[in-house]
Amino acid sequence: METPLPTNFIRDIIDENIKNGKHGGRVHTRFPPEPNGYLHIGHAKAICISFGIASDYKGLCNLRYDDTNPEKEDVEYVDSIREDVRWLGFDWDDREFYASDYFDKIYHYAIELIKKGKAYVCDLSPDEIRKYRGTLTEPGKDSPYRNRSVDENLDLFERMRKGEFDEGLRVLRAKIDMASPNITMRDPAIYRIKKADHHRTGSKWCIYPMYDFTHCISDSIEGITHSLCTLEFENNRPLYDWVLDQLGIHHPQQIEFARLNLTHTILSKRKLLELVQKKLVDGWNDPRMPTISGFRRRGYTPSSIRTFCDKIGVAKFNSTIDMVVLENSIREELNKTVPRVMAVLNPLKVVITNYPEGETEEMEAVNNPEDPSQGLRKVPFSREIYIERDDFREVPPPKFFRLAPGKEVRLRYGYFIKCENVMKDPKTGEILELHCTHDPATRGGNNPPDGRKVKGTIHWVSAKHAMKAEVRLYDLLFTKKNPDDVEEGKTFLANLNPKSLEVISNAYLEPSLKAAKPRDWFQFERLGYFFVDPVASTPDKPIFNRIVTLRDTWEKIEKSQK
Ligand code: ATP
Ligand code: MG
């Protein structure tokens, strides 16, 4: 049985178009990034929408680089975008396009507008243009160059192209309406002089079309039927419509949706670039970055990100999604799919005094209680083990059911142990190790025949079998839900979380993890989901990234065992 397609206002419009035979019933979308940074989770939403809709309607989706800004763009970004879209699970076949491939056509369209008396070369300085533009409440003023003859405009535009004028001296402007209530329509610049080489066209051009002019023409050239974009382009739509109508070329329909905002992070390429350039993070793919490459390196799966995008849906009004929603999508997936193991991050040694020295037992452990087909594994147990320091309290607070002097606790898949002695450094008072006894009748962590029960279960690792490894714990990159919420004079950097990364260089892991390879996923019981970092790990030194902590605490696991 086919699952029903999701519904949202964009799909409603497309359904209506198909019913009315608009665009001959075709659906052809595109994802149009500017290669001036790495893609982030907001782009993932746009990708899932445009590629998802195309695929559901058996249509096509192009990947098009909107590369009109030679100074800010780079092949590194082009390559990363390609990798990220593919990793998310989408395919554009041979339809990888570049706005720069259309520069010749766009140039000729500009000449066509001039010939129609719909564009003129303006000599006002950028500052003057701003002043002439007016404000939201006041109309603009016509440029003194607005009524140049077609011939003069053609001549000047040609000389702009030949490089006769310096940057900023002249621009080509669309002749629309300086009194329009929509400021975008007040004779916007459509071509500017920029004496910079382009990463694809080299030194061929010293004039470049502006983004708005390029974008709508590129969509038209590609035969796009539905140009899906974010709400901030609502004001640009009348300009796109104007350009396409003046030129009389194929006219895609633009539909805007709300952009994704996420708490505790920023989704602005400019600000993300600042973090990278100031080395406040370890590059664009730092596991704390909200970039697709950051999430990939942290251990998110493509399906968890697609699920997240489905879950948040498509709306017409802006809102902010809690980071927890994204975290839950990876938790829910890994909970079912990945093996569970034991690891101790902050070790406290426990000597089991009534356990024979030199002896090792293989305990049987369940790989994933949610999925019995993942089977069992062996975990060695011996006289000296490590437990988490937090799982022992010398003076336990009420309802502390873990280890304390004279108290008994269950070692998961191990034994019940009872704390008999706390060994301390006589000078500092620091707890060095615990001396405990075990009850042989509780092997495997099972209740003894006398019906005695314990409330707490803790994890452990056999000291002499443990594997040492580096573990990296990540926290939110920003301390505030809205990182842009700052005092006057400060920037979002003031809200960076100084504790967003904690490196544990000597964690103790159960020995089965010696087989762990880069890109393996695990649940460390009680501690969270972990991923072997594919970038920082070396063959003899795996580094484990914590993706997220566990929402389901130990009680839930206890319940599932009963
Ligand atoms: P800028 O234009 O400031 O460089 P941008 O984030 O708009 O940054 P683009 O490369 O222009 O980057 O974006 C490509 C596409 O992704 C656009 O169609 C845009 O609407 C969409 N997009 C960008 N940010 C988000 C977001 N936070 N949520 C949803 N879609 C987004
Ligand atoms: Mg943009």
Side-chain angles (χ1 to χ4, degrees):
M1 199 180 78
E2 279 190 35
T3 44
L5 296 177
T7 57
N8 60 49
F9 78 97
I10 299 179
R11 288 169 189 264
D12 292 344
I13 295 172
I14 294 177
D15 288 338
E16 189 67 25
N17 290 164
I18 291 175
K19 214 168 70 194
N20 300 332
K22 193 172 174 186
H23 308 297
R26 278 191 314 124
V27 174
H28 197 156
T29 59
R30 84 288 173 264
F31 172 64
E34 181 180 353
N36 61 350
Y38 280 59
L39 297 180
H40 54 59
I41 185 81
H43 296 117
K45 172 178 175 175
I47 292 166
C48 288
I49 292 174
S50 281
F51 278 94
I53 284 181
S55 132
D56 288 349
Y57 286 93
K58 311 220 172 346
L60 301 171
C61 181
N62 298 353
L63 174 61
R64 183 180 69 244
Y65 296 97
D66 264 346
D67 51 353
T68 54
N69 240 324
E71 285 159 328
K72 292 194 174 150
E73 295 159 3
D74 198 275
V75 278
E76 177 194 348
Y77 300 136
V78 169
D79 294 343
S80 74
I81 290 169
R82 193 182 290 129
E83 183 181 2
D84 289 350
V85 179
R86 214 168 259 151
W87 179 77
L88 274 178
F90 298 105
D91 188 17
W92 52 95
D93 300 315
D94 56 352
R95 294 179 318 284
E96 177 174 306
F97 300 122
Y98 295 80
S100 53
D101 290 346
Y102 310 138
F103 280 173
D104 280 302
K105 283 187 185 161
I106 296 170
Y107 174 71
H108 288 290
Y109 282 132
I111 291 178
E112 212 174 310
L113 283 187
I114 295 175
K115 286 184 176 160
K116 287 188 162 146
K118 296 294 179 184
Y120 62 98
V121 173
C122 182
D123 303 358
L124 291 178
S125 69
D127 238 17
E128 288 166 326
I129 289 185
R130 214 168 299 128
K131 280 189 198 127
Y132 275 70
R133 192 176 290 139
T135 63
L136 282 175
T137 49
E138 282 167 62
K141 264 196 317 189
D142 282 3
S143 158
Y145 306 98
R146 199 170 198 260
N147 292 316
R148 274 181 164 149
S149 70
V150 168
D151 285 342
E152 191 182 358
N153 281 320
L154 286 173
D155 174 60
L156 286 172
F157 188 49
E158 171 66 4
R159 289 166 59 196
M160 277 170 65
R161 186 187 65 77
K162 284 191 178 147
E164 284 185 29
F165 312 120
D166 284 343
E167 278 183 25
L169 233 49
R170 292 197 155 92
V171 289
L172 183 70
R173 299 176 69 175
K175 194 169 177 178
I176 311 179
D177 177 8
M178 288 307 291
S180 169
N182 180 349
I183 295 180
T184 312
M185 298 296 273
R186 296 184 188 168
D187 291 9
I190 58 176
Y191 255 94
R192 58 176 168 169
I193 300 168
K194 187 122 280 202
K195 303 211 164 155
D197 283 1
H198 186 280
H199 65 101
R200 285 180 62 89
T201 58
S203 57
K204 177 170 177 191
W205 298 93
C206 63
I207 54 170
Y208 289 95
M210 300 297 285
Y211 179 84
D212 279 333
F213 190 55
T214 312
H215 185 75
C216 57
I217 292 177
S218 305
D219 276 353
S220 175
I221 290 172
E222 292 176 17
I224 300 304
T225 58
H226 300 84
S227 298
L228 312 178
C229 64
T230 37
L231 281 180
E232 70 268 23
F233 293 103
E234 211 163 7
N235 284 334
N236 306 57
R237 177 160 28 99
L239 174 56
Y240 299 167
D241 290 344
W242 183 91
V243 169
L244 299 175
D245 289 345
Q246 295 303 324
L247 296 171
I249 54 180
H250 168 73
H251 199 142
Q253 176 177 2
Q254 174 169 306
I255 307 172
E256 306 90 11
F257 58 87
R259 62 190 290 122
L260 169 66
N261 298 305
L262 255 193
T263 62
H264 297 102
T265 195
I266 43 167
L267 298 181
S268 146
K269 280 191 277 190
R270 185 178 57 74
K271 290 177 188 162
L272 295 173
L273 178 65
E274 194 175 336
L275 292 176
V276 173
Q277 285 178 335
K278 295 192 167 149
K279 298 204 184 323
L280 298 167
V281 292
D282 176 24
W284 285 96
N285 67 350
D286 184 299
R288 293 164 293 178
M289 288 281 269
T291 50
I292 295 179
S293 51
F295 285 119
R296 173 167 64 236
R297 180 169 163 199
R298 175 121 162 205
Y300 275 76
T301 60
S303 50
S304 68
I305 291 178
R306 291 194 307 261
T307 303
F308 167 74
C309 292
D310 283 348
K311 212 182 290 173
I312 59 176
V314 184
K316 198 83 191 150
F317 49 88
N318 283 314
S319 63
T320 302
I321 306 289
D322 208 293
M323 186 64 97
V324 170
V325 180
L326 179 59
E327 291 180 350
N328 279 344
S329 75
I330 186 72
R331 274 191 191 107
E332 278 161 25
E333 179 176 319
L334 297 182
N335 180 44
K336 298 189 201 95
T337 54
V338 308
R340 300 183 189 187
V341 293
M342 292 197 284
V344 174
L345 302 187
N346 184 12
L348 173 59
K349 187 174 259 187
V350 172
V351 181
I352 299 158
T353 52
N354 64 345
Y355 195 86
E357 248 168 279
E359 189 163 317
T360 297
E361 267 180 282
E362 296 286 339
M363 300 307 217
E364 209 151 69
V366 178
N367 286 330
N368 187 339
E370 300 274 323
D371 175 13
S373 76
Q374 291 181 34
L376 305 170
R377 71 181 183 290
K378 298 273 199 264
V379 180
F381 184 86
S382 65
R383 182 179 154 95
E384 295 192 355
I385 62 172
Y386 292 111
I387 64 168
E388 294 296 341
R389 221 158 245 280
D390 280 356
D391 283 336
F392 173 78
R393 293 287 171 83
E394 207 172 1
V395 184
K399 297 207 170 157
F400 183 86
F401 298 123
R402 292 166 276 165
L403 206 53
K407 293 280 165 55
E408 204 172 27
V409 78
R410 181 198 321 261
L411 295 177
R412 182 132 165 104
Y413 306 124
Y415 288 100
F416 283 21
I417 57 168
K418 185 171 171 190
C419 178
E420 311 282 359
N421 245 316
V422 182
M423 316 303 284
K424 291 185 185 175
D425 182 319
K427 280 197 201 109
T428 63
E430 189 203 353
I431 298 172
L432 297 177
E433 58 182 43
L434 305 178
H435 287 180
C436 297
T437 50
H438 78 298
D439 177 356
T442 57
R443 192 177 187 279
N446 292 314
N447 291 332
D450 68 8
R452 198 169 84 251
K453 289 204 171 118
V454 291
K455 279 204 169 144
T457 302
I458 63 174
H459 62 273
W460 53 276
V461 171
S462 163
K464 72 174 170 205
H465 300 93
M467 164 192 177
K468 270 195 193 175
E470 180 175 325
V471 171
R472 297 181 179 174
L473 304 182
Y474 299 102
D475 200 345
L476 298 164
L477 189 50
F478 292 93
T479 50
K480 280 202 182 156
K481 275 199 170 198
N482 173 10
D484 287 317
D485 174 12
V486 282
E487 288 167 37
E488 229 183 276
K490 299 214 167 152
T491 73
F492 70 104
L493 296 178
N495 287 325
L496 268 177
N497 178 4
K499 298 194 186 118
S500 60
L501 169 61
E502 184 190 346
V503 177
I504 296 176
S505 29
N506 276 316
Y508 290 105
L509 316 183
E510 67 166 70
S512 75
L513 283 162
K514 285 176 187 156
K517 296 179 306 302
R519 295 189 183 81
D520 280 348
W521 282 271
F522 300 95
Q523 183 195 107
F524 290 0
E525 298 227 25
R526 299 173 69 217
L527 299 172
Y529 293 100
F530 290 78
F531 183 61
V532 185
D533 191 313
V535 178
S537 299
T538 56
D540 51 330
K541 187 173 178 271
I543 291 176
F544 293 80
N545 291 331
R546 179 152 73 187
I547 312 166
V548 276
T549 53
L550 296 182
R551 176 199 34 203
D552 47 4
T553 53
W554 203 246
E555 292 109 82
K556 201 175 147 198
I557 296 169
E558 294 274 280
K559 262 186 223 143
S560 76
Q561 276 182 336
K562 271 176 202 158

